[in-house]
Amino acid sequence: MQQGPQSDARPLNARQTCLRLGAIGAILLFSGAAFAYVGGWLDPQRLTPARVVDALEANSGVHAGFRRNHAKGVCVVGQFESSGAAQALSTAAVFAPGNTPVVGRLALPGGNPYAPDSSVPIRSFALQFTSPNGEQWRTGMNSMPVFPLNTPQAFYDQQLAARPDPKTGKPDPRRMQAFFAAHPETAPFLAWVKTAKPSASYATESYYGLNAFYLVDAQGKRRPVRWRVEPLEAAAAPLAEPAHGADYLQADLQQRLAKGPLRWRLLVTLGTADDSTRDATRQWPADRPTVNAGTVVITRSASQDEGPCRDVNYDPTLLPRGIAISDDPLLPARSAAYAASYERRTGEGPPPGAMASSPSTRPERAQ
């Protein structure tokens, strides 16, 4: 049997041994310091994932077994049918011609799993693509074109400003006005909110990735991108009204799926060197080229208590080769906060009394 080149197995001398041990020690010391810094152990005043999750809990209450944000939702299953149009831009297997299984979740923002569906105009759509090579791409999108804030600290401060007044159960309007006045970057989001109305269907919404990423091609060229999904062949839905009931979104989804799959186009917008990759409050110019990467096809839904999305942490920084994160500071912060939320809810077990509740009011375990 032919053998390959043999490695140099000569023992290290004393100087080489010391150098190697010193290098290993330096790596361990740096890693430990970085971990401690992220954990907040070196500076108790520093913003940490735990403090962010604590702020979310203070605003929405602690609902054991549920996500701390996007607590109310439904699992969906289907596939991504690639058009092959993005294959030249990225080596990610998901963009090669063919189909990729997806497990997703449609949900409302906020930490209250019992909130009426008409309580907010925003819906979210999270997806996990699993390619044949085992690599995964996870993304969380929202039905708003911009994010209100561009730093983790500002997001945390917003949660503090929005803390409900014990007397009214609602945020103090003066405190919220003061916060927005101190954060002019919220202006595009506030302009959108003024005209936003809650839809009566998940299926008719467009969902935006908001943060910038990079697609990396076979030659290593990196292109800044943002993505979104737009509905195909979805009958228009009326605006949500209190008369629809508290849980009409899931009922509408099931009725639509009973008639056939739901489809969204995955559109990838290519940015330029002039487009910010670190500010989710700013939209890119409308004339940027867009690639139709394929179609997300949802074929069925399932309870989030028992469905396949139950234990999925939709960390937006979990990416396959060929997709890379940008310098947007919200991305690592989202990843860390999602991990903290995931650790808490999975350690709590199912919501108390979930199995004993009636089908119309049964709390479903969040993911």
Side-chain angles (χ1 to χ4, degrees), residues 51-358:
R51 289 176 64 192
V52 172
V53 177
D54 288 344
L56 294 172
E57 291 181 346
N59 287 359
S60 299
V62 178
H63 301 278
F66 289 90
R67 297 176 189 264
R68 271 38 182 186
N69 196 7
H70 303 281
K72 184 179 184 180
V74 58
C75 291
V76 290
V77 177
Q79 63 187 17
F80 173 65
E81 299 173 352
S82 174
S83 67
Q87 189 175 24
L89 304 173
S90 172
T91 58
V94 68
F95 295 128
N99 298 339
T100 300
V102 297
V103 172
R105 188 170 181 271
L106 291 158
L108 297 182
N112 180 6
Y114 313 111
D117 290 348
S118 59
S119 60
V120 290
I122 302 168
R123 285 81 173 90
S124 70
F125 195 5
L127 290 170
Q128 174 185 271
F129 305 76
T130 303
S131 298
N133 63 5
E135 291 185 328
Q136 290 188 346
W137 172 25
R138 299 182 189 178
T139 181
M141 299 170 286
N142 291 279
S143 62
M144 56 191 185
V146 292
F147 198 69
L149 301 157
N150 52 19
T151 67
Q153 184 65 53
F155 176 80
Y156 175 73
D157 292 342
Q158 182 195 32
Q159 302 309 307
L160 298 184
R163 186 156 297 173
D165 185 321
K167 296 180 181 180
T168 65
K170 298 179 180 181
D172 182 339
R174 292 173 298 178
R175 191 168 57 201
M176 292 302 299
Q177 290 175 0
F179 172 83
F180 288 126
H183 291 273
E185 73 274 17
T186 60
F189 175 78
L190 293 178
W192 175 81
V193 166
K194 288 180 180 179
T195 60
K197 303 293 183 181
S199 165
S201 178
Y202 283 127
T204 59
E205 295 285 337
S206 293
Y207 299 92
Y208 301 83
L210 299 179
N211 305 108
F213 292 81
Y214 288 100
L215 294 188
V216 186
D217 66 18
Q219 288 71 46
K221 182 176 180 180
R222 293 157 56 94
R223 294 176 175 85
V225 300
R226 283 176 171 169
W227 51 70
R228 67 184 187 275
V229 293
E230 292 186 348
L232 283 171
E233 304 169 357
L239 295 179
E241 301 291 346
H244 279 97
D247 307 309
Y248 59 82
L249 284 174
Q250 184 169 343
D252 171 84
L253 182 72
Q254 292 171 338
Q255 290 172 3
R256 290 175 182 264
L257 286 172
K259 299 176 182 178
L262 301 176
R263 294 178 170 84
W264 285 262
R265 292 185 301 172
L266 175 61
L267 302 176
V268 179
T269 299
L270 307 181
T272 70
D274 296 327
D275 296 326
S276 174
T277 55
R278 60 177 291 111
D279 191 344
T281 69
R282 296 167 56 187
Q283 287 184 280
W284 289 350
D287 63 355
R288 295 297 184 256
T290 297
V291 174
N292 181 0
T295 305
V296 175
V297 182
I298 298 302
T299 56
R300 65 180 179 90
S301 66
S303 163
Q304 64 176 8
D305 186 30
E306 299 295 338
C309 73
R310 186 190 67 180
D311 297 323
V312 178
N313 172 11
Y314 287 98
D315 181 345
T317 67
L318 200 158
L319 304 166
R321 287 171 292 180
I323 308 178
I325 65 170
S326 67
D327 55 349
D328 189 333
L330 293 177
L331 286 170
R334 286 177 64 187
S335 176
Y338 286 17
S341 171
Y342 181 85
E343 183 177 4
R344 292 189 190 187
R345 67 178 176 83
T346 54
E348 294 165 345
M355 301 308 294
S357 302
S358 66

